[in-house]
Amino acid sequence: MTLTGTIALCILAAYVAGALWQKVRLGITLHQALLYLPLKLAYRIDDSRMRDARKAEAPVVYVVPHQSRLDPALMLSLLPEDTLHILDEASARSHWLEPWRELARTIVFNAEHVFVSRRLVRVLKGKGRLAVYLPDEVEPDVKAFRLFRAVAHIAHRADAKVVPIFIGGSRNLPFSLTPREKAPRKWFPRLTIAAMEPATISELMARNVTQPARASNALFDRIAEARFCASDPRRSLFLAVRDAALRTGASYPILEDPISGKLSYRKLFIGARLLGLHLASVTAPGEAVGVLLPNSNGLVATLMGLASGSRVAAMINYTAGPAAVTAAVRTAPIRIIVSSRKFIEKANLDDIVAAAEKGSARILWLEDILKQASIMDRIAAALFWRWPVHAQDASKPAIILFTSGTEGSPKAVVLSGRNVVANAMQAEARISIGKDDLLLNVLPAFHSFGLTGGIVLPLVAGVRLYLYPSPLHYKQIPEVAAKLRPTIMFGTDSFLVGYARTAKNDDFSSLRFVVAGAEPVKADTRQVWRDRFGAEIIEGYGLTEAAPVVSVNTATHSRDGTVGRLLPGMKMRLEPVEGIAQGGQLQLQGPNLMLGYINPESPGVLQPLGEGWHDTGDIVTVDREGFITIAGRARRFAKIAGEMVSLGAVEALAHALWPEEQHAAVAVPDKRRGERVVLVTTAGEADASQLRQFAKASEASELILPHDIIKTAELPRLGTGKIDYGAVRRLAIEQLGSGEAAA
């Protein structure tokens, strides 16, 4: 008995000592510390930001997305004891929560009355504190969004500071409020509490770059920032995907392609380790290794193998032509390229291989690497798949992508692992996706949209991914969709138009939404997908330098004709442009912005972006709700007799008159007026006088009428589906020189 008593006293003393340490460390009461300590130990909680949240000067409103039954217990333990907690009925009545409810004042949530009660405003004006638990929805419906409006209204009236608090990992607890099919369960996940700096609603509204934002939108965006911060975007690409595997389940079938079939996370990482070890034996850490592969399981395993070995994956655009491939190999520079004999043979890319070798690169074939792996190598990979081949540093280069070169020579864009993972987490904080989704990705991985959105995002979010090797198979892709029944798809306007032409009405009917980028989505494209397939196209905006997503529309925050609202964690400003009255040139900051460029003139030399703003070169406008509208590239404006003319507006006018055709407007030199606009179109019946009459009837400015019209059977396009404006401009100059333009 004496020994048992001694042991019990030691345990009790250790427990009290631990509670006292939490009290001192966080500034909470001893009663709070005694109840918080077991939660801290069980879930290894990162609560480093809570001390500052407690210090927020009253009046203050703590806004907590309610993900699990544990959340109120954590907040009652960590927030100041004079905070009034507004609990839902289940939390207010739960017997197990009773000890924690004794820590502070609580009232029962009443959706009909509590948020319009003047009592809450009086509490805040009396230097009080509120803790409000809102529904945990990335894209809240109309009813849920009323609560955001109510909370913002109360905080605004009381001039109270708002502190959003998000508990990362809470939705994966056994007592999560998210349906099991959307969020995998884990008994003891590591929790991360993200608390944003205090700010009033007025201060949040003033962050909009043109005019004060709506209070509800300002609050919603601030909560999205907290959600993003809790996701730990500082992890390397390998560790982010590995953590998703441990959270979702190593045996979960995460990946599939038409040739190799399905791969679980475990099998993916086993293959990645085999590849990573081999590539590590012939390359150095930080070295750029070329990837010349189509969308496939082998591509993803190669990417993860390079990430595991801290090598840089340089994505080769095999549709850009031999000259561009040789330039890319020399610019990076690249000694080793990973490819597949079957792919090269089937795609007839011998000239691309020759171009790579001309740039002094050596090809390593996936088939040979896998054959060389011994039984012991495979056993070791199966045992140690969780661990990377080389030490990880998320701040170092991880991916090299090459800009599309639509208006000039392609540049090498260098992205860190942190850039890519952060961008995926930013998108997940804005778009509602989950374990019950299936994403069909047809966009190539050498395109930043296809890489981050179509591969990295589903891998780190635990979303099943089906990779199709080419976006150009307009007949086969609808058939694949009809068989797979995907819920999400990525694409560009050009590709979506092509799929709609060949698809049956039920081929894409399973889609919840389609994320479109890379080029503007035409109104009739959006309407066709709505009417025929019941699928909503949510348009976004991005650039390779931003890894790439910058803004996106969502189900609850969407406006046709815009590219949505800025992702959480990013800042923007508009620089005035001479000759343009509304909007300005968009500049950005954010954790997803690249490390810098490598220019062909200085191979292998990184020109860092630094801590400043990145100039996108795009002219945009921003409305009160934060929706961004792209007016066009700064280079996509022509200066005619001192007036700035949007080439995008010229194309829009032509498309409105000839909607079934393709159009591209370019500016060419003009001795008298500086520049003149040329419309290159596939419309065989295109006529300048007809376009002039249509513009007059549409009350469009005469400034956007093209000086010349050139007809062609097909517009030049890049492998990504975007119009190759460099080639269009060369075509226009050539045709005008030969006198074949229509006046």
Side-chain angles (χ1 to χ4, degrees):
M1 289 295 293
T2 303
L3 179 60
T4 302
T6 301
I7 294 174
L9 284 174
C10 289
I11 293 173
L12 179 61
Y15 187 87
V16 173
L20 287 171
W21 169 238
Q22 299 303 322
K23 176 183 183 301
V24 173
R25 187 176 66 88
L26 294 169
I28 57 181
T29 67
L30 181 59
H31 190 185
Q32 287 179 306
L34 289 168
L35 288 172
Y36 174 61
L37 183 59
L39 302 178
K40 169 75 173 177
L41 296 175
Y43 300 108
R44 307 173 308 285
I45 300 172
D46 178 357
D47 52 19
S48 55
R49 298 191 184 187
M50 282 307 298
R51 190 177 184 92
D52 290 337
R54 286 178 54 86
K55 290 180 179 179
E57 186 178 345
V60 61
V61 180
Y62 300 103
V63 184
V64 185
H66 196 179
Q67 302 176 80
S68 79
R69 297 299 179 198
L70 186 68
D71 297 355
L74 285 172
M75 292 299 99
L76 285 161
S77 300
L78 292 171
L79 292 177
E81 60 274 22
D82 61 346
T83 303
L84 174 62
H85 293 254
I86 306 174
L87 302 178
D88 63 288
E89 291 189 16
S91 298
R93 295 174 181 174
S94 295
H95 295 297
W96 73 270
L97 195 60
E98 183 61 31
W100 282 272
R101 285 200 298 267
E102 296 296 322
L103 296 175
R105 295 180 299 149
T106 64
I107 60 175
V108 180
F109 174 88
N110 187 320
E112 299 299 326
H113 302 103
V114 69
F115 287 129
V116 296
S117 173
R118 294 179 182 177
R119 174 188 173 189
L120 298 181
V121 176
R122 290 198 300 270
V123 169
L124 291 173
K125 287 188 174 181
K127 298 296 181 181
R129 299 170 183 268
L130 295 179
V132 178
Y133 300 83
L134 294 180
D136 174 41
E137 297 181 31
V138 176
E139 300 181 65
D141 57 23
V142 174
K143 182 178 179 181
F145 204 72
R146 288 198 197 107
L147 301 179
F148 285 84
R149 291 194 188 96
V151 172
H153 177 69
I154 290 169
H156 196 26
R157 282 187 59 191
D159 196 28
K161 294 188 179 296
V162 174
V163 179
I165 299 175
F166 190 86
I167 306 170
S170 181
R171 75 193 301 262
N172 299 117
L173 290 167
F175 19 90
S176 170
L177 300 176
T178 303
R180 188 176 294 272
E181 62 271 15
K182 291 182 176 292
R185 299 299 197 255
K186 192 174 181 182
W187 276 104
F188 297 105
R190 183 184 179 92
L191 302 183
T192 301
I193 303 178
M196 305 304 293
E197 294 181 0
T200 65
I201 293 294
S202 296
E203 290 170 339
L204 296 178
M205 292 167 64
R207 293 167 60 185
N208 199 33
V209 297
T210 55
Q211 54 188 313
R214 296 185 187 277
S216 54
N217 283 346
L219 176 63
F220 176 76
D221 288 345
R222 191 63 167 168
I223 293 173
E225 289 181 29
R227 187 186 300 272
F228 165 64
C229 290
S231 65
D232 190 12
R234 298 165 295 177
R235 293 170 294 172
S236 70
L237 177 58
F238 177 88
L239 294 179
V241 179
R242 191 276 312 272
D243 290 349
L246 297 177
R247 181 179 66 249
T248 306
S251 300
Y252 186 69
I254 188 66
L255 191 62
E256 185 178 1
D257 71 14
I259 305 299
S260 307
K262 294 182 179 180
L263 278 186
S264 66
Y265 270 119
R266 181 185 286 106
K267 288 182 178 179
L268 169 63
F269 274 99
I270 290 172
R273 187 168 181 87
L274 288 172
L275 291 171
L277 285 169
H278 183 90
L279 293 170
S281 69
V282 295
T283 59
E287 181 177 342
V289 178
V291 179
L292 180 55
L293 292 165
N295 278 1
S296 62
N297 293 348
L299 167 70
V300 180
T302 301
L303 287 174
M304 296 311 302
L306 292 171
S308 174
S310 294
R311 271 59 176 177
V312 183
M315 311 307 294
I316 305 295
N317 182 352
Y318 46 83
T319 68
V325 170
T326 301
V329 168
R330 290 172 175 169
T331 298
I334 300 168
R335 289 192 309 114
I336 302 290
I337 293 178
V338 181
S339 191
S340 162
R341 284 194 182 93
K342 289 182 180 179
F343 167 59
I344 297 299
E345 181 181 348
K346 190 170 184 178
N348 194 25
L349 294 177
D350 290 336
D351 59 336
I352 298 299
V353 171
E357 291 173 339
K358 182 181 177 181
S360 300
R362 178 165 64 93
I363 309 296
L364 286 184
W365 304 106
L366 277 181
E367 295 90 342
D368 294 345
I369 295 174
L370 295 176
K371 282 181 182 178
Q372 292 170 14
S374 66
I375 294 177
M376 292 305 298
D377 291 335
R378 295 174 189 273
I379 292 174
L383 292 174
F384 301 108
W385 65 267
R386 294 176 177 84
W387 290 276
V389 170
H390 191 272
Q392 301 287 289
D393 186 344
S395 65
K396 295 291 182 65
I399 302 287
I400 292 178
L401 293 164
F402 296 89
T403 58
S404 59
T406 53
E407 297 151 3
S409 300
K411 292 176 285 189
V413 173
V414 182
L415 301 168
S416 69
R418 182 177 299 169
N419 294 150
V420 177
V421 172
N423 198 229
M425 296 295 94
Q426 287 170 312
E428 190 182 17
R430 185 69 82 194
I431 300 175
S432 179
I433 58 176
K435 187 180 177 182
D436 58 336
D437 280 310
L438 171 60
L439 192 153
L440 171 60
N441 179 30
V442 302
L443 297 179
F446 57 73
H447 187 287
S448 55
F449 189 22
L451 177 66
T452 302
I455 294 178
V456 176
L457 173 59
L459 289 180
V460 300
V463 173
R464 290 174 298 151
L465 171 62
Y466 188 94
L467 290 168
Y468 192 81
S470 172
L472 300 175
H473 296 172
Y474 293 110
K475 183 178 180 181
Q476 293 91 334
I477 287 172
E479 294 173 353
V480 169
K483 181 179 178 180
L484 284 176
R485 312 305 292 167
T487 58
I488 304 170
M489 181 176 170
F490 285 6
T492 68
D493 182 83
S494 299
F495 293 146
L496 295 177
V497 169
Y499 305 147
R501 285 191 183 127
T502 62
K504 298 174 184 175
N505 287 347
D506 61 344
D507 284 351
F508 293 108
S509 60
S510 61
L511 291 171
R512 290 200 296 120
F513 58 82
V514 179
V515 183
E519 60 181 342
V521 176
K522 301 181 185 69
D524 53 343
T525 306
R526 185 178 284 108
Q527 196 61 47
V528 164
W529 280 74
R530 279 176 182 162
D531 295 343
R532 289 191 57 198
F533 311 123
E536 193 69 27
I537 296 178
I538 56 174
E539 187 174 359
Y541 161 72
L543 54 153
T544 306
E545 293 85 346
V549 188
V550 171
S551 64
V552 69
N553 282 287
T554 68
T556 55
H557 281 79
S558 181
R559 183 162 295 170
D560 289 358
T562 76
V563 293
R565 303 166 71 244
L566 200 67
L567 292 183
M570 298 195 74
K571 296 178 181 177
M572 65 176 167
R573 69 183 185 189
L574 304 184
E575 287 294 309
V577 177
E578 182 184 357
I580 296 178
Q582 293 186 337
Q585 194 154 319
L586 178 64
Q587 297 186 343
L588 297 168
Q589 276 186 341
N592 53 318
L593 266 295
M594 65 175 180
L595 296 179
Y597 290 116
I598 299 177
N599 289 320
E601 299 79 17
S602 303
V605 179
L606 176 66
Q607 296 183 343
L609 177 64
E611 300 299 323
W613 293 81
H614 174 67
D615 190 343
T616 66
D618 287 315
I619 309 298
V620 308
T621 59
V622 183
D623 67 14
R624 184 183 176 189
E625 295 185 27
F627 286 97
I628 301 170
T629 301
I630 307 295
R633 296 282 295 167
R635 295 179 183 177
R636 296 278 297 139
F637 279 78
K639 195 166 188 178
I640 300 174
E643 296 285 346
M644 299 295 286
V645 177
S646 168
L647 299 177
V650 178
E651 293 170 352
L653 180 68
H655 180 77
L657 179 57
W658 302 298
E660 299 299 321
E661 305 295 338
Q662 301 172 16
H663 316 279
V666 292
V668 300
D670 185 276
K671 292 181 180 179
R672 185 170 61 88
R673 307 178 73 189
E675 287 184 315
R676 60 174 166 171
V677 177
V678 179
L679 176 67
V680 181
T681 176
T682 61
E685 73 279 14
D687 177 76
S689 60
Q690 185 183 4
L691 185 61
R692 189 175 298 108
Q693 292 172 7
F694 181 78
K696 185 176 181 180
S698 303
E699 298 183 351
S701 170
E702 289 190 5
L703 284 173
I704 68 172
L705 288 171
H707 189 276
D708 304 278
I709 297 177
I710 293 175
K711 300 168 188 177
T712 183
E714 190 174 355
L715 292 180
R717 290 189 178 271
L718 299 166
T720 58
K722 297 167 70 174
I723 294 173
D724 186 344
Y725 282 105
V728 172
R729 189 170 184 272
R730 290 191 295 272
L731 172 65
I733 292 174
E734 179 184 339
Q735 292 289 321
L736 289 172
S738 61
E740 295 183 13

